[in-house]
Amino acid sequence: MPRKRATIREVAQATGLSPAAVSYALRGLQVSEETMERVRAAAAELGYEADPIARALASGKTGMIGVLCGSLEDLWQQSLAVGISRGLREKDRYALILDAVGDPARERTLAQQLRDQRVDGLIVQPVDPAATFWAALCESVPVVTIGDGLAGAGAAGEVVFDNRKGVTLALEHLHALGHHRIGVLTPTKASTPDRPADLHVSAEGERLGLDITVATAPHGLAAATEVAGRLLGGDRPTAVFCFSDSIAYGVYAAAAERGLSIPGDVSVMGYDAHPMSGLLSPGLTTVDWNIGGIVRAAVRLVSAAADGGARRRRVVQLPTLRERASVSPPAA
């Protein structure tokens, strides 16, 4: 005969705590680390497992957090989603991960579907941060945004990138080495022209006197390789700066197809320090946004908002330049 499910009251009796304190400890909230460890050990010994249906009926919470990624073809966003999922699990929550495939219309549809499924909160790396629907969405579900803020939308939290500093780091590095003709590959589409990072490229290029050519490239390897191939044909730039390491991998592939060496014939830079970038030959110079810090901040903010925390928080993520061998002065 199967053993009866242990109850939270039994865990409370075993630890000498109230059921409410046990509930907080199991969710990692408002108690000390020592108390959390004691409660979790007792729960494991008793075989306690939270009943998600009962908890949802009692609290009005589903325990689910929506994670809406801009494009899961981007390997960095895959790593971000994995990190957020694990971080939420430590808070006794579960991630419902969806992919907007870089499409603003799909992003809107999926965001509204997550709201209608009554997720307790939503983490989004927006494809179109200027879209008007965000304001209404933020009124009905706590939203934490990663990368770009949602101007005027009333998000519960923001983990925003200092893109001005990131772009400046990249372009000043190339400029200091003598590059003046620079190709920029961005996932931004013509329908979402106001992404801050892209605007900073234009401003910084003008300030530094650079000749910049911007092209849209998807995150997928085959499509990014095709776009990079066109950029490297004919009168090619001496350096290519990519707003994603995944897009930079397409530049590597296109260069190899054309018999071009990196960095001898063309220098290449990325923008998110995916772990695979250090395994390339040569290793990819890239802008590092500290993905671990981003995950911790986003999980903390969405958990607080889902538990009713009213205070809005904005975390600004600062970049560092990770120099490797993919960038050198242009050939004479």
Side-chain angles (χ1 to χ4, degrees):
M1 181 175 180
R3 184 185 185 280
K4 180 182 177 183
R5 178 195 293 266
T7 68
I8 202 166
R9 290 189 178 279
E10 290 175 313
V11 179
Q13 291 171 357
T15 56
L17 299 170
S18 69
V22 168
S23 176
Y24 280 126
L26 290 171
R27 289 183 288 154
L29 302 171
Q30 301 181 17
V31 297
S32 67
E33 290 288 338
E34 185 274 333
T35 299
M36 279 191 285
E37 291 299 324
R38 182 156 58 95
V39 168
R40 288 172 179 173
E45 183 176 349
L46 292 170
Y48 170 79
E49 294 181 3
D51 184 337
I53 297 176
R55 183 171 64 184
L57 290 172
S59 66
K61 302 289 186 181
T62 64
M64 301 295 296
I65 300 293
V67 180
L68 181 51
C69 300
S71 172
L72 284 175
E73 286 190 307
D74 181 2
L75 298 180
W76 187 85
Q77 291 188 49
Q78 290 182 22
S79 297
L80 184 73
V82 169
I84 289 172
S85 177
R86 291 174 178 172
L88 289 171
R89 185 65 190 92
E90 292 174 1
K91 300 265 186 200
D92 200 23
R93 288 188 164 93
Y94 297 87
L96 181 56
I97 300 170
L98 297 179
D99 180 11
V101 299
D103 181 355
R106 181 176 173 84
E107 177 176 68
R108 175 175 182 163
T109 297
L110 293 179
Q112 293 171 338
Q113 286 178 351
L114 286 166
R115 175 202 60 198
D116 294 344
Q117 290 177 23
R118 306 188 69 81
V119 294
D120 298 337
L122 175 62
I123 297 174
V124 58
Q125 188 172 18
V127 174
D128 186 5
T132 57
F133 77 88
W134 291 117
L137 191 81
C138 289
E139 290 181 358
S140 56
V141 64
V143 176
V144 171
T145 181
I146 293 176
D148 294 321
L150 306 175
E158 298 176 338
V159 186
V160 296
F161 299 166
D162 188 342
N163 281 302
R164 184 181 298 276
K165 181 165 285 188
V167 167
T168 298
L169 273 176
L171 294 185
E172 284 189 344
H173 182 62
L174 293 173
H175 179 262
L177 289 172
H179 293 279
H180 297 285
R181 290 172 38 249
I182 298 172
V184 174
L185 296 182
T186 172
T188 301
K189 296 183 177 181
S191 59
T192 57
D194 297 326
R195 295 292 294 273
D198 299 79
L199 296 177
H200 294 327
V201 159
S202 299
E204 285 299 279
E206 184 174 347
R207 181 180 69 86
L208 296 170
L210 303 175
D211 178 7
I212 290 182
T213 300
V214 179
T216 297
H219 290 103
L221 180 59
T225 301
E226 181 179 349
V227 174
R230 292 196 295 269
L231 184 66
L232 296 180
D235 188 22
R236 65 176 178 271
T238 61
V240 181
F241 171 40
C242 305
F243 272 123
S244 162
D245 284 17
S246 289
I247 294 174
Y249 303 158
V251 181
Y252 273 65
E257 288 176 357
R258 284 155 182 75
L260 301 175
S261 68
I262 299 174
D265 295 313
V266 61
S267 291
V268 185
M269 287 190 70
Y271 201 62
D272 52 46
H274 189 274
M276 285 182 58
S277 297
L279 303 178
L280 298 177
S281 182
L284 178 66
T285 295
T286 186
V287 178
D288 190 341
W289 293 100
N290 181 16
I291 192 170
I294 293 167
V295 166
R296 289 189 294 273
V299 169
R300 183 177 70 250
L301 291 175
V302 81
S303 297
D307 287 329
R311 184 182 174 191
R312 292 180 59 195
R313 291 290 305 276
R314 179 181 175 91
V315 177
V316 179
Q317 205 67 27
L318 298 176
T320 56
L321 184 63
R322 183 168 295 192
E323 296 185 47
R324 298 194 180 100
S326 66
V327 175
S328 70

